[in-house]
Coordinates of all heavy atoms in Angstrom, one line a residue:
M1 N -16.6 -99.1 44.3 CA -17.2 -98.3 43.3 C -17.7 -99.1 42.1 O -18.8 -98.8 41.5 CB -16.2 -97.3 42.8 CG -16.6 -96.3 41.8 SD -17.9 -95.2 42.5 CE -18.7 -94.8 40.9
H2 N -17.1 -100.2 41.9 CA -17.5 -101.1 40.8 C -19.0 -101.6 41.1 O -19.8 -101.6 40.2 CB -16.6 -102.4 40.6 CG -17.0 -103.3 39.6 ND1 -17.0 -102.9 38.2 CD2 -17.3 -104.5 39.6 CE1 -17.4 -103.9 37.5 NE2 -17.6 -105.0 38.4
S3 N -19.2 -102.0 42.3 CA -20.6 -102.5 42.7 C -21.6 -101.3 42.5 O -22.8 -101.5 42.1 CB -20.6 -103.0 44.1 OG -19.8 -104.1 44.3
Y4 N -21.2 -100.2 43.0 CA -22.2 -99.0 42.9 C -22.5 -98.7 41.4 O -23.6 -98.4 41.0 CB -21.6 -97.8 43.7 CG -22.5 -96.6 43.5 CD1 -23.8 -96.7 43.9 CD2 -22.1 -95.4 42.9 CE1 -24.7 -95.6 43.8 CE2 -22.9 -94.3 42.8 CZ -24.2 -94.4 43.3 OH -25.1 -93.3 43.1
A5 N -21.4 -98.7 40.6 CA -21.6 -98.4 39.1 C -22.6 -99.4 38.5 O -23.2 -99.1 37.5 CB -20.3 -98.4 38.4
Q6 N -22.7 -100.6 39.1 CA -23.5 -101.6 38.6 C -24.9 -101.6 39.2 O -25.7 -102.4 38.9 CB -22.9 -103.0 38.7 CG -21.7 -103.2 37.8 CD -21.1 -104.6 38.0 OE1 -21.3 -105.3 38.9 NE2 -20.4 -105.0 36.9
G7 N -25.2 -100.6 40.1 CA -26.5 -100.4 40.6 C -26.7 -100.7 42.1 O -27.9 -100.6 42.6
S8 N -25.7 -101.0 42.8 CA -25.9 -101.4 44.2 C -26.0 -100.1 45.1 O -25.0 -99.4 45.3 CB -24.7 -102.2 44.7 OG -24.7 -102.4 46.2
A9 N -27.2 -99.9 45.6 CA -27.4 -98.7 46.5 C -26.6 -98.8 47.8 O -26.2 -97.8 48.4 CB -28.9 -98.5 46.8
E10 N -26.5 -100.1 48.3 CA -25.7 -100.2 49.5 C -24.2 -99.9 49.3 O -23.5 -99.3 50.2 CB -25.7 -101.7 49.9 CG -27.1 -102.1 50.4 CD -27.4 -103.6 50.2 OE1 -26.6 -104.3 49.6 OE2 -28.6 -104.0 50.4
A11 N -23.7 -100.0 48.1 CA -22.3 -99.7 47.8 C -22.1 -98.2 47.9 O -21.1 -97.7 48.3 CB -21.9 -100.2 46.4
F12 N -23.1 -97.4 47.5 CA -23.0 -95.9 47.6 C -22.9 -95.6 49.1 O -22.1 -94.7 49.5 CB -24.2 -95.2 47.1 CG -24.1 -93.8 47.2 CD1 -23.3 -93.0 46.4 CD2 -24.8 -93.1 48.2 CE1 -23.2 -91.6 46.6 CE2 -24.8 -91.7 48.4 CZ -23.9 -91.0 47.6
G13 N -23.7 -96.2 50.0 CA -23.6 -95.9 51.4 C -22.2 -96.2 52.0 O -21.6 -95.4 52.8
E14 N -21.6 -97.3 51.5 CA -20.2 -97.6 51.9 C -19.2 -96.6 51.3 O -18.3 -96.1 52.1 CB -19.9 -99.0 51.3 CG -18.5 -99.5 51.6 CD -18.3 -99.8 53.1 OE1 -19.3 -100.2 53.8 OE2 -17.2 -99.8 53.6
L15 N -19.4 -96.2 50.1 CA -18.5 -95.1 49.5 C -18.6 -93.8 50.3 O -17.6 -93.2 50.7 CB -18.8 -94.9 48.1 CG -18.3 -95.9 47.0 CD1 -19.0 -95.6 45.7 CD2 -16.8 -95.8 46.9
Y16 N -19.8 -93.4 50.6 CA -20.0 -92.2 51.2 C -19.5 -92.2 52.7 O -18.8 -91.3 53.1 CB -21.5 -91.9 51.3 CG -21.9 -90.6 51.9 CD1 -21.7 -89.4 51.2 CD2 -22.4 -90.5 53.2 CE1 -22.1 -88.2 51.7 CE2 -22.7 -89.3 53.8 CZ -22.6 -88.1 53.0 OH -22.8 -86.9 53.6
G17 N -19.7 -93.3 53.4 CA -19.2 -93.4 54.7 C -17.7 -93.5 54.8 O -17.1 -92.9 55.7
R18 N -17.1 -94.1 53.8 CA -15.6 -94.3 53.8 C -15.0 -93.0 53.4 O -13.8 -92.8 53.9 CB -15.4 -95.4 52.8 CG -13.9 -95.9 52.9 CD -13.6 -97.0 51.9 NE -14.4 -98.2 52.3 CZ -14.3 -99.3 51.7 NH1 -13.6 -99.4 50.5 NH2 -15.0 -100.4 52.1
H19 N -15.5 -92.3 52.5 CA -14.7 -91.1 51.9 C -15.2 -89.7 52.2 O -14.6 -88.8 51.9 CB -14.6 -91.3 50.4 CG -14.0 -92.6 50.0 ND1 -12.7 -92.9 50.4 CD2 -14.4 -93.6 49.3 CE1 -12.4 -94.1 49.9 NE2 -13.4 -94.6 49.2
K20 N -16.4 -89.6 52.9 CA -17.0 -88.3 53.2 C -16.0 -87.5 54.0 O -15.8 -86.2 53.7 CB -18.3 -88.4 53.9 CG -18.9 -87.1 54.3 CD -20.1 -87.2 55.2 CE -20.6 -85.8 55.5 NZ -20.8 -85.6 56.8
G21 N -15.3 -88.0 55.0 CA -14.4 -87.2 55.8 C -13.3 -86.7 55.0 O -12.9 -85.5 55.3
R22 N -12.8 -87.5 54.2 CA -11.6 -87.0 53.4 C -12.0 -85.9 52.4 O -11.3 -84.9 52.2 CB -11.0 -88.1 52.5 CG -10.2 -89.1 53.3 CD -9.6 -90.1 52.4 NE -8.8 -91.0 53.2 CZ -8.3 -92.2 52.7 NH1 -8.6 -92.5 51.5 NH2 -7.5 -92.9 53.4
V23 N -13.2 -86.0 51.8 CA -13.7 -85.0 50.9 C -13.9 -83.8 51.6 O -13.6 -82.7 51.2 CB -14.9 -85.5 50.1 CG1 -15.6 -84.4 49.3 CG2 -14.5 -86.7 49.2
Y24 N -14.6 -83.9 52.8 CA -14.9 -82.7 53.7 C -13.6 -82.0 54.0 O -13.5 -80.7 53.9 CB -15.6 -83.2 54.9 CG -16.1 -82.0 55.7 CD1 -17.4 -81.5 55.6 CD2 -15.3 -81.4 56.7 CE1 -17.8 -80.4 56.3 CE2 -15.7 -80.3 57.5 CZ -17.0 -79.8 57.3 OH -17.4 -78.7 58.0
G25 N -12.6 -82.7 54.4 CA -11.3 -82.1 54.8 C -10.8 -81.3 53.6 O -10.1 -80.2 53.8
F26 N -10.7 -82.0 52.5 CA -10.2 -81.3 51.3 C -10.9 -80.1 51.0 O -10.2 -79.0 50.7 CB -10.3 -82.3 50.1 CG -10.0 -81.8 48.7 CD1 -8.7 -81.7 48.4 CD2 -11.0 -81.4 47.9 CE1 -8.3 -81.2 47.1 CE2 -10.7 -80.9 46.6 CZ -9.4 -80.8 46.3
L27 N -12.2 -80.0 51.0 CA -13.0 -78.8 50.7 C -12.9 -77.8 51.8 O -12.8 -76.6 51.6 CB -14.4 -79.2 50.5 CG -14.6 -80.1 49.2 CD1 -16.1 -80.6 49.2 CD2 -14.3 -79.4 48.0
A28 N -12.9 -78.2 53.1 CA -12.9 -77.3 54.2 C -11.5 -76.5 54.2 O -11.6 -75.3 54.5 CB -13.0 -78.0 55.5
K29 N -10.5 -77.1 53.8 CA -9.2 -76.5 53.8 C -9.1 -75.4 52.7 O -8.5 -74.4 52.9 CB -8.1 -77.5 53.5 CG -6.7 -77.1 53.8 CD -5.7 -78.1 53.4 CE -5.8 -79.3 54.3 NZ -4.7 -80.3 54.0
R30 N -10.0 -75.5 51.7 CA -10.0 -74.5 50.6 C -11.1 -73.6 50.6 O -11.1 -72.5 50.0 CB -10.0 -75.3 49.3 CG -8.7 -76.1 49.0 CD -8.8 -77.3 48.1 NE -7.5 -77.9 47.9 CZ -7.0 -78.8 48.8 NH1 -7.5 -79.1 49.9 NH2 -5.8 -79.3 48.5
L31 N -12.2 -73.8 51.4 CA -13.3 -73.0 51.4 C -13.5 -72.3 52.7 O -14.7 -71.9 53.0 CB -14.6 -73.8 51.1 CG -14.7 -74.4 49.7 CD1 -16.0 -75.3 49.6 CD2 -14.8 -73.3 48.7
K32 N -12.6 -72.0 53.4 CA -12.7 -71.4 54.7 C -13.9 -70.5 54.9 O -14.0 -69.5 54.3 CB -11.4 -70.5 54.9 CG -10.1 -71.3 54.9 CD -8.9 -70.4 55.0 CE -7.6 -71.1 54.8 NZ -7.4 -72.4 54.6
G33 N -14.8 -71.0 55.8 CA -16.0 -70.2 56.1 C -17.2 -70.5 55.2 O -18.3 -70.1 55.6
A34 N -17.0 -71.0 54.1 CA -18.2 -71.3 53.2 C -18.9 -72.6 53.7 O -18.5 -73.3 54.6 CB -17.7 -71.5 51.7
D35 N -20.1 -72.8 53.1 CA -20.8 -73.9 53.6 C -20.3 -75.2 52.9 O -20.8 -75.6 51.8 CB -22.3 -73.7 53.2 CG -23.2 -74.7 53.9 OD1 -22.7 -75.6 54.7 OD2 -24.4 -74.5 53.7
V36 N -19.4 -75.8 53.6 CA -18.7 -77.0 53.1 C -19.7 -78.2 52.9 O -19.5 -79.0 51.9 CB -17.5 -77.4 54.0 CG1 -16.8 -78.6 53.4 CG2 -16.5 -76.2 54.1
D37 N -20.6 -78.3 53.9 CA -21.5 -79.5 53.8 C -22.3 -79.5 52.4 O -22.5 -80.6 51.9 CB -22.5 -79.4 54.9 CG -21.9 -79.8 56.3 OD1 -20.9 -80.6 56.3 OD2 -22.2 -79.2 57.3
D38 N -22.7 -78.3 52.0 CA -23.4 -78.3 50.7 C -22.6 -78.7 49.5 O -23.0 -79.4 48.6 CB -24.0 -76.9 50.4 CG -25.2 -76.5 51.3 OD1 -25.8 -77.5 51.9 OD2 -25.5 -75.3 51.4
V39 N -21.3 -78.3 49.5 CA -20.4 -78.6 48.5 C -20.1 -80.1 48.5 O -20.0 -80.8 47.5 CB -19.1 -77.8 48.5 CG1 -18.2 -78.1 47.4 CG2 -19.5 -76.3 48.5
V40 N -19.9 -80.7 49.7 CA -19.7 -82.1 49.9 C -20.9 -82.9 49.2 O -20.7 -83.9 48.4 CB -19.5 -82.6 51.3 CG1 -19.6 -84.1 51.5 CG2 -18.2 -82.0 51.9
Q41 N -22.1 -82.4 49.5 CA -23.3 -83.1 48.9 C -23.3 -82.9 47.4 O -23.6 -83.9 46.7 CB -24.6 -82.4 49.5 CG -24.8 -82.7 51.0 CD -24.8 -84.2 51.3 OE1 -25.4 -84.9 50.6 NE2 -24.1 -84.5 52.3
Q42 N -22.8 -81.8 46.9 CA -22.7 -81.7 45.4 C -21.7 -82.7 44.8 O -21.9 -83.2 43.8 CB -22.3 -80.2 45.1 CG -23.4 -79.3 45.3 CD -22.9 -77.8 45.1 OE1 -22.0 -77.6 44.3 NE2 -23.4 -76.9 45.8
V43 N -20.6 -82.9 45.6 CA -19.6 -83.8 45.1 C -20.1 -85.2 44.9 O -20.0 -85.9 43.9 CB -18.4 -83.9 46.0 CG1 -17.4 -85.1 45.7 CG2 -17.6 -82.6 45.9
F44 N -20.9 -85.7 45.9 CA -21.5 -87.0 45.9 C -22.6 -87.1 44.9 O -22.8 -88.2 44.3 CB -21.8 -87.5 47.3 CG -20.6 -87.9 48.0 CD1 -19.9 -87.1 48.9 CD2 -20.1 -89.2 47.9 CE1 -18.8 -87.5 49.6 CE2 -18.9 -89.6 48.5 CZ -18.2 -88.7 49.4
A45 N -23.4 -86.0 44.7 CA -24.4 -86.0 43.7 C -23.7 -86.2 42.3 O -24.2 -86.9 41.4 CB -25.2 -84.7 43.7
K46 N -22.6 -85.5 42.1 CA -21.9 -85.6 40.8 C -21.3 -87.0 40.6 O -21.3 -87.5 39.5 CB -20.8 -84.5 40.7 CG -20.2 -84.4 39.3 CD -19.8 -83.0 39.0 CE -19.3 -82.9 37.6 NZ -19.2 -81.6 37.2
L47 N -20.8 -87.6 41.7 CA -20.3 -88.9 41.6 C -21.5 -89.8 41.2 O -21.3 -90.7 40.3 CB -19.8 -89.4 43.0 CG -19.4 -90.9 43.1 CD1 -18.0 -91.1 43.3 CD2 -20.2 -91.6 44.2
H48 N -22.7 -89.6 41.7 CA -23.9 -90.4 41.4 C -24.2 -90.3 39.8 O -24.4 -91.2 39.1 CB -25.1 -90.0 42.2 CG -26.3 -90.7 41.8 ND1 -26.5 -92.1 42.0 CD2 -27.4 -90.2 41.2 CE1 -27.7 -92.4 41.4 NE2 -28.3 -91.3 41.0
Q49 N -24.1 -89.0 39.4 CA -24.4 -88.7 38.0 C -23.4 -89.3 37.0 O -23.7 -89.6 35.9 CB -24.5 -87.2 37.8 CG -25.7 -86.5 38.5 CD -25.5 -85.0 38.5 OE1 -24.5 -84.4 38.1 NE2 -26.5 -84.3 38.9
S50 N -22.1 -89.5 37.5 CA -21.1 -90.0 36.7 C -20.8 -91.5 36.9 O -19.8 -91.9 36.2 CB -19.8 -89.1 37.0 OG -20.1 -87.8 36.9
K51 N -21.5 -92.2 37.7 CA -21.1 -93.5 38.0 C -20.9 -94.4 36.7 O -20.1 -95.3 36.8 CB -22.0 -94.1 39.0 CG -23.4 -94.4 38.5 CD -24.3 -95.0 39.6 CE -25.7 -95.3 39.0 NZ -26.5 -95.9 40.1
E52 N -21.7 -94.2 35.7 CA -21.6 -95.1 34.5 C -20.3 -94.8 33.8 O -19.9 -95.7 33.0 CB -22.8 -94.8 33.6 CG -24.1 -95.3 34.1 CD -24.7 -94.2 35.0 OE1 -24.4 -93.0 34.9 OE2 -25.6 -94.7 35.8
R53 N -19.6 -93.7 34.0 CA -18.4 -93.4 33.3 C -17.1 -93.8 34.0 O -16.1 -93.7 33.6 CB -18.3 -91.9 33.0 CG -19.3 -91.4 32.0 CD -19.2 -90.0 31.7 NE -20.1 -89.3 32.6 CZ -20.1 -88.0 32.8 NH1 -19.2 -87.3 32.3 NH2 -20.9 -87.5 33.7
Y54 N -17.3 -94.4 35.2 CA -16.2 -94.9 36.0 C -15.5 -96.0 35.4 O -16.1 -97.0 35.0 CB -16.7 -95.2 37.5 CG -15.6 -95.8 38.3 CD1 -14.5 -95.0 38.8 CD2 -15.6 -97.2 38.7 CE1 -13.6 -95.6 39.5 CE2 -14.6 -97.7 39.4 CZ -13.6 -97.0 39.9 OH -12.5 -97.5 40.6
D55 N -14.2 -96.0 35.3 CA -13.4 -97.0 34.7 C -13.0 -97.9 35.9 O -12.2 -97.5 36.7 CB -12.1 -96.4 34.0 CG -11.3 -97.5 33.4 OD1 -11.5 -98.7 33.6 OD2 -10.3 -97.1 32.7
V56 N -13.4 -99.1 35.9 CA -13.2 -100.0 37.0 C -11.7 -100.5 37.1 O -11.3 -101.0 38.1 CB -14.0 -101.3 36.9 CG1 -15.6 -101.0 37.1 CG2 -13.8 -102.1 35.7
N57 N -10.9 -100.2 36.1 CA -9.5 -100.5 36.2 C -8.7 -99.4 36.9 O -7.5 -99.6 37.1 CB -9.0 -100.7 34.7 CG -9.6 -101.8 34.0 OD1 -9.8 -102.9 34.6 ND2 -10.1 -101.5 32.8
L58 N -9.3 -98.3 37.3 CA -8.7 -97.3 38.0 C -9.1 -97.2 39.4 O -10.2 -97.6 39.7 CB -9.0 -95.9 37.3 CG -8.5 -95.8 35.8 CD1 -9.0 -94.5 35.2 CD2 -7.0 -95.9 35.7
P59 N -8.3 -96.7 40.3 CA -8.7 -96.6 41.8 C -9.8 -95.6 41.9 O -9.8 -94.5 41.2 CB -7.4 -96.2 42.5 CG -6.5 -95.8 41.4 CD -6.9 -96.3 40.1
C60 N -10.7 -95.8 42.8 CA -11.8 -94.9 43.1 C -11.4 -93.5 43.7 O -11.9 -92.5 43.3 CB -12.8 -95.6 43.9 SG -14.2 -94.6 44.5
L61 N -10.6 -93.5 44.6 CA -10.3 -92.3 45.4 C -9.7 -91.2 44.6 O -10.3 -90.0 44.7 CB -9.4 -92.6 46.6 CG -9.3 -91.5 47.7 CD1 -10.7 -91.3 48.3 CD2 -8.4 -92.0 48.8
P62 N -8.7 -91.4 43.7 CA -8.3 -90.3 42.8 C -9.4 -89.8 41.9 O -9.5 -88.5 41.7 CB -7.2 -90.9 42.0 CG -6.7 -92.1 42.8 CD -7.9 -92.6 43.5
W63 N -10.3 -90.7 41.5 CA -11.4 -90.2 40.6 C -12.3 -89.4 41.4 O -12.8 -88.3 40.9 CB -12.1 -91.5 40.1 CG -13.1 -91.2 39.1 CD1 -13.0 -90.6 37.8 CD2 -14.5 -91.4 39.3 NE1 -14.3 -90.5 37.3 CE2 -15.2 -91.0 38.1 CE3 -15.3 -92.0 40.3 CZ2 -16.6 -91.1 38.0 CZ3 -16.6 -92.1 40.2 CH2 -17.3 -91.6 39.0
L64 N -12.7 -89.7 42.7 CA -13.5 -88.9 43.5 C -12.9 -87.6 43.8 O -13.6 -86.6 43.7 CB -13.8 -89.7 44.8 CG -14.6 -89.0 45.9 CD1 -16.0 -88.6 45.3 CD2 -14.6 -89.9 47.2
F65 N -11.6 -87.5 44.0 CA -11.0 -86.2 44.2 C -11.0 -85.3 42.9 O -10.9 -84.1 43.0 CB -9.7 -86.3 44.9 CG -9.8 -86.5 46.3 CD1 -9.9 -87.7 46.9 CD2 -10.0 -85.4 47.2 CE1 -10.0 -87.9 48.3 CE2 -10.2 -85.5 48.5 CZ -10.2 -86.8 49.1
V66 N -10.9 -85.9 41.7 CA -11.1 -85.1 40.5 C -12.5 -84.5 40.5 O -12.6 -83.3 40.2 CB -10.8 -86.0 39.3 CG1 -11.3 -85.3 38.0 CG2 -9.3 -86.4 39.2
I67 N -13.4 -85.3 40.9 CA -14.8 -84.8 41.0 C -14.9 -83.6 42.0 O -15.5 -82.6 41.7 CB -15.8 -85.9 41.3 CG1 -15.9 -86.8 40.1 CG2 -17.2 -85.3 41.6 CD1 -16.7 -88.1 40.4
A68 N -14.3 -83.9 43.2 CA -14.3 -82.8 44.3 C -13.6 -81.5 43.7 O -14.2 -80.4 44.0 CB -13.6 -83.4 45.5
R69 N -12.6 -81.6 43.1 CA -11.9 -80.5 42.6 C -12.7 -79.8 41.5 O -12.8 -78.5 41.6 CB -10.5 -80.9 42.0 CG -9.7 -79.7 41.5 CD -8.4 -80.2 40.9 NE -7.6 -79.1 40.4 CZ -7.7 -78.6 39.2 NH1 -8.5 -79.2 38.3 NH2 -6.9 -77.5 38.8
S70 N -13.3 -80.5 40.7 CA -14.2 -79.9 39.7 C -15.4 -79.1 40.3 O -15.7 -78.0 40.0 CB -14.7 -81.0 38.7 OG -15.7 -80.5 37.9
V71 N -16.0 -79.7 41.3 CA -17.2 -79.2 42.1 C -16.7 -77.9 42.8 O -17.4 -76.9 42.8 CB -17.8 -80.1 42.9 CG1 -18.9 -79.4 43.9 CG2 -18.5 -81.3 42.1
L72 N -15.5 -78.0 43.4 CA -14.9 -76.8 44.1 C -14.7 -75.7 43.1 O -15.1 -74.5 43.4 CB -13.6 -77.3 44.7 CG -12.8 -76.2 45.3 CD1 -13.5 -75.6 46.5 CD2 -11.4 -76.7 45.7
I73 N -14.2 -75.9 42.0 CA -13.9 -74.8 41.0 C -15.2 -74.2 40.5 O -15.3 -73.0 40.5 CB -13.1 -75.4 39.8 CG1 -11.7 -75.7 40.2 CG2 -13.1 -74.4 38.6 CD1 -10.8 -76.5 39.2
D74 N -16.2 -75.1 40.2 CA -17.5 -74.5 39.9 C -18.1 -73.7 41.0 O -18.7 -72.6 40.7 CB -18.5 -75.6 39.5 CG -18.1 -76.3 38.2 OD1 -17.3 -75.8 37.4 OD2 -18.6 -77.5 38.0
F75 N -18.0 -74.1 42.2 CA -18.6 -73.4 43.4 C -17.9 -72.0 43.5 O -18.6 -71.0 43.7 CB -18.4 -74.2 44.6 CG -18.9 -73.5 45.9 CD1 -20.2 -73.5 46.2 CD2 -18.0 -72.9 46.7 CE1 -20.7 -72.9 47.3 CE2 -18.5 -72.2 47.9 CZ -19.9 -72.2 48.2
V76 N -16.6 -72.0 43.4 CA -15.8 -70.8 43.6 C -16.2 -69.8 42.4 O -16.4 -68.5 42.6 CB -14.3 -71.0 43.6 CG1 -13.5 -69.7 43.5 CG2 -14.0 -71.7 45.0
R77 N -16.3 -70.3 41.2 CA -16.6 -69.5 40.0 C -17.9 -68.8 40.2 O -18.2 -67.7 39.8 CB -16.5 -70.3 38.8 CG -15.2 -70.5 38.3 CD -15.2 -71.3 36.9 NE -13.9 -71.5 36.5 CZ -13.5 -72.5 35.7 NH1 -14.5 -73.3 35.1 NH2 -12.3 -72.7 35.2
K78 N -18.9 -69.5 40.7 CA -20.2 -69.0 40.9 C -20.3 -67.9 42.0 O -21.1 -67.0 41.9 CB -21.2 -70.1 41.3 CG -21.6 -71.0 40.1 CD -22.4 -72.2 40.6 CE -22.6 -73.2 39.5 NZ -23.4 -74.3 39.8
R79 N -19.4 -68.0 43.0 CA -19.4 -67.0 44.0 C -18.6 -65.7 43.6 O -18.9 -64.6 44.2 CB -18.6 -67.6 45.3 CG -19.5 -68.6 45.9 CD -18.8 -69.1 47.1 NE -18.0 -68.1 47.9 CZ -17.2 -68.4 48.9 NH1 -17.0 -69.6 49.2 NH2 -16.5 -67.5 49.5
V80 N -17.8 -65.8 42.6 CA -17.0 -64.6 42.1 C -18.0 -63.7 41.4 O -18.6 -64.1 40.4 CB -15.8 -64.9 41.3 CG1 -15.2 -63.8 40.7 CG2 -14.9 -65.8 42.1
E81 N -18.1 -62.5 41.8 CA -19.0 -61.6 41.1 C -18.3 -61.0 39.8 O -17.2 -60.6 39.8 CB -19.4 -60.4 41.9 CG -20.2 -60.7 43.1 CD -20.7 -59.6 44.0 OE1 -20.8 -58.4 43.4 OE2 -20.9 -59.8 45.1
M82 N -19.0 -61.2 38.7 CA -18.5 -60.7 37.5 C -18.9 -59.2 37.3 O -20.1 -58.9 37.5 CB -19.1 -61.5 36.3 CG -18.7 -63.0 36.3 SD -16.9 -63.1 36.1 CE -16.7 -64.8 35.7
P83 N -18.0 -58.4 36.8 CA -18.4 -57.0 36.6 C -19.4 -56.9 35.4 O -19.3 -57.6 34.4 CB -17.1 -56.3 36.2 CG -16.1 -57.4 35.9 CD -16.7 -58.7 36.5
V84 N -20.4 -56.1 35.6 CA -21.5 -56.0 34.5 C -21.4 -54.5 34.0 O -21.4 -53.5 34.8 CB -22.9 -56.3 35.2 CG1 -23.9 -56.1 34.2 CG2 -22.9 -57.7 35.7
D85 N -21.4 -54.4 32.8 CA -21.5 -53.0 32.1 C -22.9 -52.7 31.8 O -23.5 -53.4 30.9 CB -20.6 -53.0 30.9 CG -20.5 -51.7 30.2 OD1 -21.0 -50.7 30.9 OD2 -20.0 -51.6 29.1
V86 N -23.5 -51.8 32.5 CA -24.9 -51.5 32.3 C -25.1 -50.3 31.4 O -26.2 -49.8 31.2 CB -25.7 -51.2 33.7 CG1 -25.8 -52.6 34.4 CG2 -25.0 -50.2 34.5
A87 N -24.0 -49.7 30.9 CA -24.1 -48.5 30.1 C -24.6 -48.7 28.7 O -24.6 -49.7 28.1 CB -22.8 -47.8 30.0

């Protein structure tokens, strides 16, 4: 993650290849039947957007799962229909 945060595109490929399966499993267990692939892509897009904020003194995997949980919560909130008062 440190190399990716400093701009290495190859490091992103390594991160994605190494952790995509774990992120997919985490999300699939919680999103039964939803389009998990799209949510996984959102997780890695958010990782990309947040790479400058990564603290190199902390392990990468827990940070990635904080992002995954955040994206999951946002996804579920968007799917829940809010009651609308049209009166």
Side-chain angles (χ1 to χ4, degrees):
M1 186 61 207
H2 181 64
S3 295
Y4 179 57
Q6 292 184 338
S8 171
E10 294 152 358
F12 178 78
E14 180 71 25
L15 280 169
Y16 185 78
R18 189 179 293 178
H19 300 301
K20 179 187 179 227
R22 286 182 176 170
V23 171
Y24 186 93
F26 172 80
L27 295 170
K29 198 182 290 186
R30 289 154 179 83
L31 291 175
K32 302 177 186 354
D35 194 359
V36 178
D37 289 323
D38 287 343
V39 181
V40 169
Q41 294 304 316
Q42 290 175 29
V43 169
F44 282 96
K46 189 148 189 169
L47 173 115
H48 174 71
Q49 294 168 352
S50 305
K51 69 181 180 179
E52 291 83 22
R53 290 183 271 165
Y54 175 68
D55 182 350
V56 297
N57 297 314
L58 300 174
C60 173
L61 198 56
W63 185 68
L64 177 59
F65 277 95
V66 167
I67 293 171
R69 182 177 178 273
S70 172
V71 170
L72 172 66
I73 289 169
D74 290 344
F75 179 80
V76 170
R77 282 183 181 159
K78 287 177 186 174
R79 287 183 37 195
V80 173
E81 293 185 27
M82 296 293 196
V84 178
D85 185 10
V86 291

